[in-house]
Amino acid sequence: MCLAIPGRVVEFVADRPQLAVVEVAGVRRQVNVDLLREDGLDPGEWVLIHVGFAMSKISATSAEEQMRMLAMLGEDEEAMREIEGYDFGQES
Amino acid sequence: MRYVDEFRDPKLIRQAAREIRRLAHPGRHYRIMEVCGGHTHAIYRFGLEGLLPANLELIHGPGCPVCVLPMGRTDDGLAIAELPEVIFTAFGDVMRVPGTKGSPLEHKARGAEIRMVYSPLDALKLAQGNPDRHVVFFAIGFETTAPSTALTLLKARELGVRNFSVFCNHVTIIPAIRAILESPGMRLDAFVGPGHVSTVIGCRPYEFITEDFGKPIVVSGFEPLDILQSLVMILRQLAAGRAEVENQYARVVPWEGNLPALRALDEVFELRPYFEWRGLGFISQSALKLRDAFAEWDAERRFTVPGIRVTDPKAAQCGEVLKGVLKPPQCKLFGRECTPERPVGALMVSSEGACAAYHHYVHRVAAAASPEP
């Protein structure tokens, strides 16, 4: 729950402006980007994700550092399980 | 200097450690609290205490949401989970938290319909897919996760999803810091401020710490170098007799916080008059509840919640550890009755709890190093 997972914005979801496809270590999932829309968010930018919501924009370097940090804390696998576990953007 | 060479910048780490030793006045004892459980985890994992001088003590603060949740609230949530119409959802961290009659995971094994989710939006989707059931989301966390619950509730209202509600246990960090500062016998010199909470609330809410209490606080990132640099910044303030809010984590934390997140929090939640924190007792205006406009989505109003207060097992000394009076291994149960495999107190449940972090990185390593008697 307290994991901050870095992801790269790939594209926005048609007709659902609150959602964007992000990529984390090769895995693509939709996350909610409502909290970052005001300041503008573009494909290619990096974000920190908490429980399915992009909470802050970060640099590519910070994203890389954060991923390395998660690995050093032994939380990288849990982070990937979390990203893969986001179900709300999946077709049901 | 274990771990130092695997750090990204071993040279900078050594420099920062040297600077800390230079700044720490040998005639003084420093007590610095890291508020956030993420920092506690990183400090133990990276063995940072080993880089610090003996007269600089890190006190592990209340910033681990499952650790400060009183057992009675887990019991209340599980009472709702046992209702036949309910599908109860919670984050993975909550699933192992002990209630009086076992954890959510154990209740699930006994037949309650409890599912782990990674996002509150997944709980909402579950409600949409199960119109004949009622889905309850066990919301927990500080200001980092509270906006996600708020946005989920706004979404539920927008979509008119009425078989969904939230059992709200969100807490706010500022009143807890104030309670610690006002507690008798408080001997802290400064704070390492939380990183991700501050991305939401910004740095301004910490100003009372400097203005009313004259203590420095430095909002910090989570890497070893971040934490050491924050300690350098704190020691520089103390040496110069300054007490300011500084932001070491400016690459992620904006000074004003995240305004859309703060607006969403304000629209959905209001402060509870008081809320019980495990180890700290009742703290006024320290937790969030749903506003009347969201009464329909408030599990505490939809269902009868027993609201029983449960005192912690007498022998467990979670409160003393939370307040920094005891170190984890000084608790009578530590490593014997209370282990990460069979936690008695919540500090042993989460990897961000001081006891679990200590057990994992210090206790086990020490036990493996010493020969069997």
Side-chain angles (χ1 to χ4, degrees), chain B residues 197-225:
Chain B
V197 160
S198 306
T199 63
V200 173
I201 67 171
C203 297
R204 242 177 244 290
Y206 303 117
E207 284 171 351
F208 79 97
I209 299 172
T210 63
E211 288 165 8
D212 300 352
F213 295 90
K215 312 281 181 196
I217 175 166
V218 176
V219 171
S220 176
F222 294 86
E223 293 194 40
L225 186 58

mmCIF file of all heavy atoms in Angstrom, chain B residues 197-225:
data_model
loop_
_atom_site.group_PDB
_atom_site.id
_atom_site.type_symbol
_atom_site.label_atom_id
_atom_site.label_comp_id
_atom_site.label_asym_id
_atom_site.label_seq_id
_atom_site.Cartn_x
_atom_site.Cartn_y
_atom_site.Cartn_z
ATOM 1 N N VAL B 197 3.813 11.395 1.885
ATOM 2 C CA VAL B 197 2.725 12.186 2.475
ATOM 3 C C VAL B 197 2.883 13.650 2.053
ATOM 4 O O VAL B 197 1.914 14.335 1.722
ATOM 5 C CB VAL B 197 2.740 12.073 4.022
ATOM 6 C CG1 VAL B 197 1.982 13.218 4.667
ATOM 7 C CG2 VAL B 197 2.140 10.738 4.465
ATOM 8 N N SER B 198 4.136 14.103 2.022
ATOM 9 C CA SER B 198 4.384 15.509 1.708
ATOM 10 C C SER B 198 4.123 15.833 0.241
ATOM 11 O O SER B 198 3.873 16.992 -0.085
ATOM 12 C CB SER B 198 5.811 15.896 2.093
ATOM 13 O OG SER B 198 6.037 15.574 3.458
ATOM 14 N N THR B 199 4.170 14.851 -0.655
ATOM 15 C CA THR B 199 3.799 15.143 -2.048
ATOM 16 C C THR B 199 2.353 15.608 -2.090
ATOM 17 O O THR B 199 1.966 16.374 -2.952
ATOM 18 C CB THR B 199 3.949 13.922 -2.994
ATOM 19 O OG1 THR B 199 3.058 12.906 -2.585
ATOM 20 C CG2 THR B 199 5.354 13.389 -3.007
ATOM 21 N N VAL B 200 1.537 15.157 -1.141
ATOM 22 C CA VAL B 200 0.130 15.567 -1.090
ATOM 23 C C VAL B 200 -0.046 16.836 -0.262
ATOM 24 O O VAL B 200 -0.616 17.818 -0.726
ATOM 25 C CB VAL B 200 -0.755 14.430 -0.524
ATOM 26 C CG1 VAL B 200 -2.189 14.917 -0.299
ATOM 27 C CG2 VAL B 200 -0.751 13.242 -1.469
ATOM 28 N N ILE B 201 0.470 16.862 0.975
ATOM 29 C CA ILE B 201 0.165 18.000 1.857
ATOM 30 C C ILE B 201 1.170 19.143 1.699
ATOM 31 O O ILE B 201 0.930 20.246 2.177
ATOM 32 C CB ILE B 201 0.051 17.586 3.346
ATOM 33 C CG1 ILE B 201 1.400 17.135 3.923
ATOM 34 C CG2 ILE B 201 -0.988 16.500 3.532
ATOM 35 C CD1 ILE B 201 1.357 16.920 5.440
ATOM 36 N N GLY B 202 2.293 18.890 1.027
ATOM 37 C CA GLY B 202 3.312 19.927 0.883
ATOM 38 C C GLY B 202 4.088 20.109 2.181
ATOM 39 O O GLY B 202 4.018 19.276 3.085
ATOM 40 N N CYS B 203 4.819 21.210 2.275
ATOM 41 C CA CYS B 203 5.709 21.422 3.424
ATOM 42 C C CYS B 203 5.158 22.407 4.450
ATOM 43 O O CYS B 203 5.588 22.419 5.599
ATOM 44 C CB CYS B 203 7.067 21.915 2.933
ATOM 45 S SG CYS B 203 7.899 20.717 1.881
ATOM 46 N N ARG B 204 4.214 23.232 4.038
ATOM 47 C CA ARG B 204 3.700 24.260 4.932
ATOM 48 C C ARG B 204 3.092 23.733 6.240
ATOM 49 O O ARG B 204 3.297 24.336 7.301
ATOM 50 C CB ARG B 204 2.647 25.091 4.200
ATOM 51 C CG ARG B 204 3.029 26.525 4.061
ATOM 52 C CD ARG B 204 1.991 27.285 3.270
ATOM 53 N NE ARG B 204 2.558 27.771 2.036
ATOM 54 C CZ ARG B 204 3.456 28.736 1.991
ATOM 55 N NH1 ARG B 204 3.878 29.323 3.091
ATOM 56 N NH2 ARG B 204 3.951 29.132 0.846
ATOM 57 N N PRO B 205 2.328 22.610 6.210
ATOM 58 C CA PRO B 205 1.699 22.137 7.458
ATOM 59 C C PRO B 205 2.696 21.820 8.573
ATOM 60 O O PRO B 205 2.308 21.701 9.731
ATOM 61 C CB PRO B 205 0.958 20.866 7.023
ATOM 62 C CG PRO B 205 0.715 21.042 5.574
ATOM 63 C CD PRO B 205 1.912 21.796 5.054
ATOM 64 N N TYR B 206 3.989 21.682 8.218
ATOM 65 C CA TYR B 206 4.978 21.371 9.259
ATOM 66 C C TYR B 206 5.483 22.614 9.982
ATOM 67 O O TYR B 206 6.289 22.502 10.909
ATOM 68 C CB TYR B 206 6.177 20.639 8.643
ATOM 69 C CG TYR B 206 5.813 19.364 7.918
ATOM 70 C CD1 TYR B 206 6.040 19.222 6.548
ATOM 71 C CD2 TYR B 206 5.247 18.287 8.597
ATOM 72 C CE1 TYR B 206 5.701 18.061 5.875
ATOM 73 C CE2 TYR B 206 4.907 17.124 7.932
ATOM 74 C CZ TYR B 206 5.139 17.011 6.560
ATOM 75 O OH TYR B 206 4.803 15.867 5.909
ATOM 76 N N GLU B 207 5.042 23.788 9.549
ATOM 77 C CA GLU B 207 5.625 25.019 10.111
ATOM 78 C C GLU B 207 5.415 25.139 11.621
ATOM 79 O O GLU B 207 6.233 25.740 12.313
ATOM 80 C CB GLU B 207 5.084 26.248 9.367
ATOM 81 C CG GLU B 207 5.752 26.393 7.994
ATOM 82 C CD GLU B 207 5.128 27.451 7.107
ATOM 83 O OE1 GLU B 207 4.055 27.983 7.463
ATOM 84 O OE2 GLU B 207 5.716 27.732 6.039
ATOM 85 N N PHE B 208 4.324 24.537 12.137
ATOM 86 C CA PHE B 208 4.080 24.626 13.598
ATOM 87 C C PHE B 208 5.213 23.958 14.394
ATOM 88 O O PHE B 208 5.482 24.328 15.539
ATOM 89 C CB PHE B 208 2.724 24.003 13.964
ATOM 90 C CG PHE B 208 2.752 22.500 14.032
ATOM 91 C CD1 PHE B 208 2.911 21.847 15.252
ATOM 92 C CD2 PHE B 208 2.652 21.725 12.898
ATOM 93 C CE1 PHE B 208 2.965 20.454 15.327
ATOM 94 C CE2 PHE B 208 2.698 20.341 12.948
ATOM 95 C CZ PHE B 208 2.858 19.711 14.171
ATOM 96 N N ILE B 209 5.855 22.967 13.769
ATOM 97 C CA ILE B 209 6.933 22.252 14.481
ATOM 98 C C ILE B 209 8.088 23.213 14.759
ATOM 99 O O ILE B 209 8.698 23.197 15.828
ATOM 100 C CB ILE B 209 7.434 21.057 13.625
ATOM 101 C CG1 ILE B 209 6.289 20.071 13.390
ATOM 102 C CG2 ILE B 209 8.622 20.361 14.291
ATOM 103 C CD1 ILE B 209 6.630 18.955 12.408
ATOM 104 N N THR B 210 8.358 24.078 13.780
ATOM 105 C CA THR B 210 9.458 25.035 13.949
ATOM 106 C C THR B 210 8.996 26.236 14.765
ATOM 107 O O THR B 210 9.718 26.702 15.640
ATOM 108 C CB THR B 210 9.962 25.494 12.569
ATOM 109 O OG1 THR B 210 8.914 26.192 11.891
ATOM 110 C CG2 THR B 210 10.392 24.327 11.727
ATOM 111 N N GLU B 211 7.766 26.708 14.485
ATOM 112 C CA GLU B 211 7.306 27.946 15.128
ATOM 113 C C GLU B 211 6.879 27.724 16.576
ATOM 114 O O GLU B 211 7.225 28.499 17.462
ATOM 115 C CB GLU B 211 6.154 28.555 14.321
ATOM 116 C CG GLU B 211 6.656 29.148 13.002
ATOM 117 C CD GLU B 211 5.542 29.433 12.003
ATOM 118 O OE1 GLU B 211 4.354 29.319 12.388
ATOM 119 O OE2 GLU B 211 5.860 29.761 10.844
ATOM 120 N N ASP B 212 6.083 26.664 16.821
ATOM 121 C CA ASP B 212 5.553 26.450 18.180
ATOM 122 C C ASP B 212 6.509 25.653 19.065
ATOM 123 O O ASP B 212 6.461 25.755 20.283
ATOM 124 C CB ASP B 212 4.209 25.700 18.130
ATOM 125 C CG ASP B 212 3.156 26.465 17.352
ATOM 126 O OD1 ASP B 212 3.439 27.631 16.995
ATOM 127 O OD2 ASP B 212 2.074 25.912 17.091
ATOM 128 N N PHE B 213 7.326 24.804 18.443
ATOM 129 C CA PHE B 213 8.145 23.906 19.255
ATOM 130 C C PHE B 213 9.660 24.124 19.057
ATOM 131 O O PHE B 213 10.465 23.509 19.756
ATOM 132 C CB PHE B 213 7.793 22.443 18.970
ATOM 133 C CG PHE B 213 6.383 22.091 19.385
ATOM 134 C CD1 PHE B 213 5.321 22.223 18.497
ATOM 135 C CD2 PHE B 213 6.104 21.672 20.683
ATOM 136 C CE1 PHE B 213 4.017 21.917 18.876
ATOM 137 C CE2 PHE B 213 4.805 21.365 21.074
ATOM 138 C CZ PHE B 213 3.761 21.492 20.177
ATOM 139 N N GLY B 214 10.018 24.947 18.077
ATOM 140 C CA GLY B 214 11.427 25.264 17.865
ATOM 141 C C GLY B 214 12.285 24.082 17.438
ATOM 142 O O GLY B 214 13.478 24.009 17.755
ATOM 143 N N LYS B 215 11.665 23.116 16.725
ATOM 144 C CA LYS B 215 12.431 21.936 16.270
ATOM 145 C C LYS B 215 12.553 21.954 14.744
ATOM 146 O O LYS B 215 11.573 22.251 14.059
ATOM 147 C CB LYS B 215 11.704 20.632 16.661
ATOM 148 C CG LYS B 215 11.241 20.553 18.105
ATOM 149 C CD LYS B 215 12.367 20.216 19.030
ATOM 150 C CE LYS B 215 11.844 20.126 20.471
ATOM 151 N NZ LYS B 215 12.941 20.177 21.441
ATOM 152 N N PRO B 216 13.694 21.592 14.212
ATOM 153 C CA PRO B 216 13.837 21.495 12.754
ATOM 154 C C PRO B 216 13.127 20.253 12.196
ATOM 155 O O PRO B 216 13.015 19.241 12.892
ATOM 156 C CB PRO B 216 15.344 21.344 12.539
ATOM 157 C CG PRO B 216 15.990 21.619 13.856
ATOM 158 C CD PRO B 216 14.964 21.353 14.906
ATOM 159 N N ILE B 217 12.676 20.371 10.945
ATOM 160 C CA ILE B 217 12.179 19.193 10.228
ATOM 161 C C ILE B 217 12.665 19.284 8.789
ATOM 162 O O ILE B 217 12.601 20.350 8.177
ATOM 163 C CB ILE B 217 10.637 19.047 10.308
ATOM 164 C CG1 ILE B 217 10.161 17.872 9.430
ATOM 165 C CG2 ILE B 217 9.914 20.345 9.920
ATOM 166 C CD1 ILE B 217 8.735 17.425 9.695
ATOM 167 N N VAL B 218 13.154 18.163 8.275
ATOM 168 C CA VAL B 218 13.615 18.111 6.886
ATOM 169 C C VAL B 218 12.852 16.992 6.184
ATOM 170 O O VAL B 218 12.966 15.822 6.557
ATOM 171 C CB VAL B 218 15.139 17.875 6.801
ATOM 172 C CG1 VAL B 218 15.573 17.728 5.344
ATOM 173 C CG2 VAL B 218 15.897 19.023 7.462
ATOM 174 N N VAL B 219 12.044 17.362 5.188
ATOM 175 C CA VAL B 219 11.313 16.376 4.392
ATOM 176 C C VAL B 219 12.325 15.632 3.535
ATOM 177 O O VAL B 219 13.143 16.260 2.852
ATOM 178 C CB VAL B 219 10.249 17.073 3.512
ATOM 179 C CG1 VAL B 219 9.647 16.097 2.522
ATOM 180 C CG2 VAL B 219 9.167 17.705 4.390
ATOM 181 N N SER B 220 12.267 14.298 3.578
ATOM 182 C CA SER B 220 13.368 13.510 3.015
ATOM 183 C C SER B 220 12.907 12.470 2.000
ATOM 184 O O SER B 220 11.823 11.897 2.120
ATOM 185 C CB SER B 220 14.086 12.793 4.177
ATOM 186 O OG SER B 220 15.088 11.942 3.683
ATOM 187 N N GLY B 221 13.771 12.205 1.032
ATOM 188 C CA GLY B 221 13.588 11.076 0.136
ATOM 189 C C GLY B 221 13.958 9.776 0.842
ATOM 190 O O GLY B 221 14.298 9.784 2.037
ATOM 191 N N PHE B 222 13.915 8.675 0.121
ATOM 192 C CA PHE B 222 14.015 7.363 0.756
ATOM 193 C C PHE B 222 15.338 6.642 0.504
ATOM 194 O O PHE B 222 15.602 5.613 1.080
ATOM 195 C CB PHE B 222 12.853 6.478 0.287
ATOM 196 C CG PHE B 222 11.537 6.994 0.763
ATOM 197 C CD1 PHE B 222 10.840 7.962 0.056
ATOM 198 C CD2 PHE B 222 11.005 6.557 1.963
ATOM 199 C CE1 PHE B 222 9.642 8.463 0.511
ATOM 200 C CE2 PHE B 222 9.812 7.047 2.437
ATOM 201 C CZ PHE B 222 9.128 8.010 1.710
ATOM 202 N N GLU B 223 16.141 7.175 -0.408
ATOM 203 C CA GLU B 223 17.417 6.515 -0.665
ATOM 204 C C GLU B 223 18.361 6.769 0.497
ATOM 205 O O GLU B 223 18.231 7.765 1.208
ATOM 206 C CB GLU B 223 18.022 7.055 -1.954
ATOM 207 C CG GLU B 223 17.201 6.673 -3.157
ATOM 208 C CD GLU B 223 17.953 6.904 -4.446
ATOM 209 O OE1 GLU B 223 19.157 6.630 -4.491
ATOM 210 O OE2 GLU B 223 17.326 7.362 -5.396
ATOM 211 N N PRO B 224 19.328 5.862 0.678
ATOM 212 C CA PRO B 224 20.285 6.051 1.778
ATOM 213 C C PRO B 224 20.909 7.445 1.767
ATOM 214 O O PRO B 224 20.988 8.104 2.806
ATOM 215 C CB PRO B 224 21.337 4.975 1.503
ATOM 216 C CG PRO B 224 20.612 3.920 0.743
ATOM 217 C CD PRO B 224 19.558 4.606 -0.058
ATOM 218 N N LEU B 225 21.290 7.910 0.565
ATOM 219 C CA LEU B 225 21.926 9.227 0.493
ATOM 220 C C LEU B 225 20.936 10.332 0.889
ATOM 221 O O LEU B 225 21.314 11.305 1.548
ATOM 222 C CB LEU B 225 22.474 9.477 -0.922
ATOM 223 C CG LEU B 225 23.278 10.759 -1.095
ATOM 224 C CD1 LEU B 225 24.477 10.796 -0.141
ATOM 225 C CD2 LEU B 225 23.769 10.911 -2.539
#
